[in-house]
Amino acid sequence: MDEVGFAVDVLFFDGAEELDAVGPWEVLRFWADLGDRPVVVRSVSADGEAVVCSKGLRVSVDGVLGDRTPDLVVIPGGPGAEVFASDDRRIALIRSAAEGGATMASVCTGAQVLGAAGLLHGISATTHWMARKHLQLIYPDVIVSSGRRWIDSGAVVTSAGVSAGIDMALHLVDRFDSRAVAHRVCSAMEYAWHPEELSVDS
């Protein structure tokens, strides 16, 4: 817990899929405005520098991953995720956040980053449907599930691709605040969310 509230860091890196990061960021910022508990949401990168996402969106971030102890870290996918996952220094930042007690959440191929950090061992996880076979191949001890928008395995929460990250972020609002607040956020976003129709592990 940050001194002023529940601390959320949304990670950006070169080649991140825009909606993978911005979709959850939007949900979580609405939560900060509309929720029943204090929440502080930041955009971060591994070095605090601006990044260029996969479709060309340039993002200037608020801070550096690891310069505070977050309660929640959201990791997007995209073509840059595999590059990020191959960088030992950056993966050490992910591992450190998890060891510090943060809930680690991924969207799409961001699951590969969690796998590289050793955080998917023996748990259920999901990713974009086109990346499931690859995730299973490179991390054979992961229980890769299909047909899920998100999977909550406790300390790790993963979602399928792109828009599924919005559903996952709403689930996180539900988990860390309340179902009523999650629906409050949906109303503000004019977003249809039906968690009772989605299969979730807990």
Side-chain angles (χ1 to χ4, degrees):
M1 176 78 74
D2 188 271
E3 290 182 3
V4 292
F6 187 87
V8 180
D9 283 350
V10 179
L11 180 64
F12 286 79
F13 47 79
D14 288 332
E17 179 65 32
E18 282 85 345
L19 193 59
D20 283 5
V22 176
W25 187 90
E26 181 89 354
V27 170
L28 297 165
R29 278 295 290 117
F30 266 114
W31 177 30
D33 292 338
L34 302 174
D36 291 333
R37 63 182 301 184
V39 178
V40 179
V41 182
R42 302 188 312 165
S43 57
V44 299
S45 65
D47 53 13
E49 298 296 321
V51 305
V52 179
C53 297
S54 67
K55 304 296 190 294
L57 178 68
R58 179 175 291 273
V59 178
S60 297
V61 298
D62 301 316
V64 181
L65 181 64
D67 66 359
R68 71 171 181 178
T69 303
D71 298 293
L72 171 65
V73 176
V74 179
I75 303 165
E82 193 161 2
V83 176
F84 192 103
S86 68
D87 187 317
D88 290 342
R89 182 187 66 83
R90 293 182 176 189
I91 289 302
L93 296 174
I94 300 297
R95 193 177 295 114
S96 178
E99 290 171 351
T103 297
M104 307 299 290
S106 68
V107 182
C108 194
T109 54
Q112 293 181 31
V113 174
L114 296 179
L119 302 178
L120 297 183
H121 180 74
I123 69 169
S124 293
T126 193
T127 186
H128 193 286
W129 66 269
M130 290 190 292
R132 288 182 199 134
K133 287 184 179 179
H134 182 62
L135 183 66
Q136 190 71 82
L137 178 66
I138 59 177
Y139 301 112
D141 57 349
V142 181
I143 305 166
V144 179
S145 298
S146 62
R148 307 279 183 84
R149 294 288 279 175
W150 78 84
I151 295 177
D152 188 331
S153 295
V156 173
V157 185
T158 56
S159 82
V162 197
S163 65
I166 296 173
D167 292 330
M168 179 190 71
L170 286 163
H171 165 70
L172 292 168
V173 174
D174 182 5
R175 171 177 161 179
F176 290 113
D177 201 327
S178 71
R179 179 66 55 90
V181 170
H183 281 299
R184 197 180 301 162
V185 170
C186 288
S187 179
M189 294 178 62
E190 294 194 310
Y191 184 79
W193 182 62
H194 305 287
E196 65 279 359
E197 297 176 5
L198 302 173
S199 179
V200 183
D201 288 347
S202 59

